Amino acid sequence: MASENCLVANDWVCGQYLREYRQELTDATLQQLWITAVSVAIGLLVAFPLALAARRRRIVAGPVLAATTILYTVPSLAMFSLLLPVFGITPWLVVTGLVLYSLTILVRNILAGLQAVPADVTESARAMGYGPLRLLFGVELPLALPAVMAGLRIATVSTVALTTVGAIIDYGGLGNLLLSGIGSNFRAQVLAASVLCVVIAVLADVALLGVQWLLTPWKHKRRRARAGAAA
């Protein structure tokens, strides 16, 4: 009987809430996933050419890194306010803000990964007739992949958390439930939304780690070879 009255009792853990508000939780979760995925994807597409430009021309590296760092220091409320005249109260207002925030992490990690590629490897590839594009996608990016994926994982987890701030304009995914739950002291809703945010962040990180594992098979072969030699 007590479990059926957990909404009235305003319990933190309430199965009745999960059953009765299942659709609301599903819609908020899907919005959270959509905003996060689109923001990170666009951020990666923007960060990649910026990192390439910063690597090729040192005079560009300073301004690019400085600009992306400054963007990350802008408070989210101020960022959304600055973007509001351009995008209005739409999901793209939140997405654009999240893209700008992700650039600091993504640009730095992509640049660090590319700069860490040994010079003798690139020189050998050029001697073998590799052109700029083939060199980039066939040699440099595969070697830079661990650093790139590390940045992508951090940016994704960070974006999952920052997406909730979009609740101030009603496009915050689970943040909408968090904001309304806190405002009404609805404990079950606050806890459910919080747990779902954590679960999304953890699953996204694990999924990207799995992608990294699949895209870097040579690292596993090297580890197995070392383990065999040690044995």
Side-chain angles (χ1 to χ4, degrees), residues 209-225:
L209 186 61
V211 171
Q212 180 179 340
W213 190 87
L214 291 173
L215 293 178
T216 55
W218 62 88
K219 295 189 68 177
H220 320 313
K221 293 179 181 178
R222 191 180 304 167
R223 289 196 191 100
R224 286 195 292 269

Side-chain angles (χ1 to χ4, degrees), residues 12-26:
W12 284 102
V13 179
C14 181
Q16 185 181 356
Y17 167 77
L18 297 177
R19 291 191 299 271
E20 294 186 7
Y21 290 79
R22 181 173 56 186
Q23 189 59 51
E24 187 177 22
L25 286 167
T26 300

Side-chain angles (χ1 to χ4, degrees), residues 58-182:
R58 291 185 178 180
I59 194 173
V60 176
V64 167
L65 294 176
T68 54
T69 300
I70 291 172
L71 287 172
Y72 198 78
T73 63
V74 178
S76 54
L77 290 177
M79 178 71 78
F80 290 160
S81 297
L82 292 171
L83 296 173
L84 185 59
V86 179
F87 296 97
I89 301 179
T90 65
W92 294 107
L93 170 63
V94 179
V95 168
T96 304
L98 296 177
V99 167
L100 295 176
Y101 282 132
S102 71
L103 293 180
T104 301
I105 301 168
L106 293 173
V107 170
R108 287 181 180 275
N109 277 70
I110 295 171
L111 181 59
L114 292 173
Q115 289 177 334
V117 176
D120 57 341
V121 173
T122 57
E123 289 173 5
S124 298
R126 289 193 184 97
M128 294 172 62
Y130 278 63
L133 285 178
R134 188 183 177 193
L135 176 64
L136 175 62
F137 290 101
V139 177
E140 293 176 317
L141 270 183
L143 293 177
L145 198 59
V148 175
M149 291 302 297
L152 185 60
R153 289 169 60 195
I154 296 171
T156 300
V157 172
S158 176
T159 302
V160 170
L162 287 171
T163 297
T164 58
V165 181
I168 59 175
I169 60 167
D170 203 30
Y171 290 106
L174 292 165
N176 297 339
L177 300 183
L178 278 171
L179 188 62
S180 63
I182 292 172

